[in-house]
Amino acid sequence: MIDEALREISRGCAEIIDNERVEKLLKNYFEEGKTYTVKAGFDPTAPDLHLGHTVLLQKLATFQKYGGRVQFLIGSFTATIGDPTGKNATRKVLSKEDIIKNIKSYTTQAFKILDESKTEIVYNDDWLGQMSAADMITLASNLTVARMLERDDFSKRFKSNTPIATSEFMYPLLQGYDSVYLKSDIEIGGTDQKFNLLMGRQLQKAYDIKKQQAVLMMPILEGLDGVAKMSKSLGNYIGVADEANDMFGKVLSISDELMWRYFELLSDKSLDEIARLKEGVANNTLHPKKVKEDLAIEITTRFHDEKAAQNAKAEFEKVHAKNQIPTDIELFSCDGDIWIAKALVDCNIEPSTSQARRDIKQGGVKINQEKVFDDKLQLSTGEYLLQVGKRKFAKLKVN
RNA sequence: GGUGGGAUAGUCAAGUGGCCAACGACGGCAGACUGUAAAUCUGCUCCCUAUGGGUUCAGAGGUUCGACUCCUCUUCCCACCA
């Protein structure tokens, strides 16, 4: 039992620090029914979760299966500083109102994966906001500047003459102090959080918490480009709240290489089964597209439902494999004749008339399925199906 | 506090009086090829109904026929010294 739980917990993990502690906690749970706390922090800097976040959430859900009580920490205080991790510039600081707004959509999305009854939502504003200047100084004395500058992200910024705000130095300390306050047994986060996560252990020791938290790190999920970390600001993400069609399409657009990564970190399939699929693709008994489709179905089903996922698949085939037009196309209308470039801009499928003209000249624009090359074309009364590239569509009714 | 260096398009980064809407790289968009994949190749990449016009090189002034380039002030960043 314990072994099975351990295996499931360590699946996909990049690193576990203090594995013994994890084992002990599990043992206590299975033998005496004792629960334990698992902390994970989330910065409400963006209102929407994406699959990168769900890697952590799924891991938390696994812990919940085996006696873990999740401390879902909203960094309501720390968000006002901005986590410097992995950033090469000081992050923009959020206003209180933005944060509150973000939290709500954040948690509803999270509970698509987490068991709400085993989750406690905590805000670090509650304790960090109470700290006095003296408390801060005491906290800060736990860390030297030299150590801080050892951090890769800071040292890079330092070397490249990118500014580092002093407040950013406080970030790891505050995150670590959260673990002190919450007396967390385990904390999980991305590998890029290692420094911050370990700070929790160090501070728990400094503040005389008997047991230091175990730390479990998950790999960072690459975004759709397969290179950079999935993030909203880079636009390479699949959002939890994405429409089924988008979600399906986005998964299918990832490279074959990246697909295995997504399988490992996002799929519920067993590692054995994934290995089998991989082998099948390698020896040509399985078509990679088929395998990717299954993954897309699985992920889409998780956030929508089976039916929506199947519809998305059918829609996708229709639009892309058979080159037909999608079912739902946004309809626009205008009065009087309209210049084609202007029409494309008005329908939000081109950013500027200049860009529209360029695309037209390059054969990237279709009207009613026919390529157009005349960038001076006027559309007179009637209904038109406008298309830019492969995936931007709009219907326009000219009155 | 002192001294010196810097700020250029989405990002990095050339340009040091007219040849500059500004080299190049990356990113992005479109086309070809495909499995809407990847890789590759080609074109484009400030805005504007455009062989032309407009607004750009941190901000404000100035010198000049002409400024991203020179001068002054301001803001921000960096380095060294204190």
Side-chain angles (χ1 to χ4, degrees), chain A residues 172-397:
Chain A
L173 286 165
L174 295 175
Q175 180 172 336
Y177 186 78
D178 290 341
S179 292
V180 171
Y181 182 86
L182 293 168
K183 298 186 170 61
S184 308
D185 294 312
I186 300 176
E187 174 160 15
I188 78 174
T191 47
D192 57 344
Q193 291 284 316
K194 187 168 185 174
F195 187 93
N196 296 355
L197 295 168
L198 289 174
M199 189 53 62
R201 279 171 70 84
Q202 191 183 329
L203 289 179
Q204 281 181 330
K205 196 171 168 191
Y207 280 82
D208 229 9
I209 305 285
K210 302 132 306 253
K211 303 249 166 112
Q212 293 174 52
Q213 64 182 11
V215 167
L216 193 146
M217 280 166 278
M218 296 303 293
I220 301 304
L221 184 71
E222 291 85 354
L224 300 173
D225 52 30
V227 182
K229 166 182 176 175
M230 182 178 281
S231 85
K232 181 148 185 165
S233 50
L234 292 176
N236 61 353
Y237 69 104
I238 300 179
V240 167
D242 278 358
E243 297 283 329
N245 284 343
D246 281 348
M247 203 177 266
F248 187 92
K250 282 182 185 175
V251 175
L252 225 54
S253 79
I254 64 175
S255 71
D256 292 356
E257 188 72 17
L258 187 61
M259 159 171 85
W260 301 115
R261 188 85 171 138
Y262 277 38
F263 260 115
E264 187 191 353
L265 293 176
L266 297 169
S267 171
D268 284 331
K269 285 188 177 26
S270 73
L271 292 178
D272 291 343
E273 190 169 354
I274 292 171
R276 200 176 54 73
L277 291 173
K278 205 166 178 175
E279 204 189 312
V281 169
N283 63 26
N284 285 324
T285 51
L286 277 172
H287 195 292
K289 193 192 175 202
K290 170 81 180 69
V291 178
K292 205 184 289 173
E293 263 173 9
D294 288 347
L295 175 68
I297 291 272
E298 182 185 344
I299 290 173
T300 309
T301 303
R302 180 176 301 147
F303 299 104
H304 296 277
D305 54 53
E306 177 73 34
K307 191 162 163 266
Q310 291 297 344
N311 284 344
K313 183 182 168 183
E315 180 74 12
F316 184 88
E317 301 258 312
K318 184 180 161 193
V319 178
H320 301 290
K322 298 182 185 151
N323 261 324
Q324 292 171 343
I325 56 167
T327 315
D328 293 315
I329 302 177
E330 204 172 348
L331 179 69
F332 296 86
S333 67
C334 69
D335 293 315
D337 289 7
I338 185 165
W339 175 41
I340 175 69
K342 184 86 170 54
L344 293 168
V345 174
D346 286 352
C347 293
N348 295 327
I349 51 178
E350 283 286 20
S352 70
T353 56
S354 296
Q355 180 66 43
R357 291 162 59 106
R358 277 179 222 121
D359 283 340
I360 290 168
K361 283 180 190 149
Q362 296 186 89
V365 173
K366 289 182 189 173
I367 296 180
N368 298 332
Q369 316 258 47
E370 298 282 333
K371 281 190 183 179
V372 194
F373 291 98
D374 179 9
D375 67 348
K376 290 199 166 70
L377 188 70
Q378 293 288 330
L379 298 179
S380 49
T381 309
E383 263 195 60
Y384 300 91
L385 173 71
L386 307 175
Q387 180 180 359
V388 177
K390 284 171 189 153
R391 44 180 117 172
K392 282 173 285 188
F393 292 89
K395 270 184 187 152
L396 178 68
K397 190 174 179 198

Side-chain angles (χ1 to χ4, degrees), chain A residues 37-44 49 53 56-57 60 64 69-76 102-111 113-116 118-124 127 182 184:
Chain A
T37 55
V38 185
K39 172 197 167 201
F42 295 88
D43 241 354
L49 291 170
H53 299 111
L56 281 187
L57 292 176
L60 288 172
Q64 289 181 325
R69 310 269 321 167
V70 168
Q71 297 171 321
F72 191 94
L73 178 95
I74 306 271
S76 52
N102 290 348
I103 289 170
K104 204 169 148 46
S105 69
Y106 219 77
T107 47
T108 36
Q109 289 174 28
F111 286 131
I113 294 176
L114 289 181
D115 180 343
E116 195 163 355
K118 294 176 182 168
T119 304
E120 187 191 357
I121 299 179
V122 291
Y123 303 86
N124 62 7
W127 55 90
L182 293 168
S184 308

Side-chain angles (χ1 to χ4, degrees), chain A residues 21-36:
Chain A
R21 179 92 202 271
V22 179
E23 273 176 49
K24 227 171 259 171
L25 291 168
L26 284 171
K27 195 164 171 242
N28 282 346
Y29 171 69
F30 282 113
E31 287 174 4
E32 301 166 43
K34 275 192 188 156
T35 60
Y36 51 91

Side-chain angles (χ1 to χ4, degrees), chain A residues 82-91 149 151-166 168-169:
Chain A
D83 181 2
T85 302
K87 297 283 160 187
N88 38 33
T90 304
R91 196 190 258 188
L149 282 174
R151 280 185 54 162
D152 193 47
D153 39 22
F154 279 141
S155 77
K156 267 188 195 144
R157 279 166 62 178
F158 196 67
K159 279 181 195 143
S160 68
N161 295 345
T162 315
I164 302 172
T166 309
E168 291 180 83
F169 276 174

